[in-house]
């Protein structure tokens, strides 16, 4: 199980128990940026990746 899967399961647990998340503490525990943890929390798991527009020649 990698750190993103563990983070996702922890986020589900936090949402199910209606606790207020501490994004900084979760980021330190999993070695991930705080903003990434918040993105996962807001999207309920894996966030969708944004597509980049390709430049024309």
């Amino acid at each position: 199980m990698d750190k993103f899967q563990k983070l996702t399961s922890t986020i589900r647990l936090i949402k199910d128990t209606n606790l207020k998340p501490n994004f900084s503490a979760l980021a330190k525990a999993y070695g991930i940026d705080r903003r990434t943890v918040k993105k996962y929390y807001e999207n309920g798991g894996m966030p969708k990746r944004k597509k980049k527009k390709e430049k024309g020649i």
Side-chain angles (χ1 to χ4, degrees), residues 36-50:
T36 304
V37 175
K38 185 175 180 182
K39 202 181 297 185
Y40 272 63
Y41 179 78
E42 289 173 348
N43 292 317
M46 291 290 279
K48 294 180 181 177
R49 293 196 170 207
K50 296 178 183 177

Side-chain angles (χ1 to χ4, degrees), residues 1-9 30 32 36 40 46:
M1 201 180 219
D2 75 356
K3 59 185 171 184
F4 292 105
Q5 290 174 339
K6 290 179 184 178
L7 175 65
T8 304
S9 64
Y30 293 104
I32 305 171
T36 304
Y40 272 63
M46 291 290 279

Side-chain angles (χ1 to χ4, degrees), residues 9-54:
S9 64
T10 304
I11 287 174
R12 284 189 197 133
L13 179 67
I14 290 171
K15 283 192 170 200
D16 289 344
T17 56
N18 293 325
L19 294 174
K20 185 176 178 184
N22 184 342
F23 298 124
S24 297
L26 289 171
K28 282 183 183 179
Y30 293 104
I32 305 171
D33 187 58
R34 175 185 55 82
R35 293 170 293 226
T36 304
V37 175
K38 185 175 180 182
K39 202 181 297 185
Y40 272 63
Y41 179 78
E42 289 173 348
N43 292 317
M46 291 290 279
K48 294 180 181 177
R49 293 196 170 207
K50 296 178 183 177
K51 292 184 179 180
K52 293 183 179 181
K53 293 183 180 178
E54 293 184 20

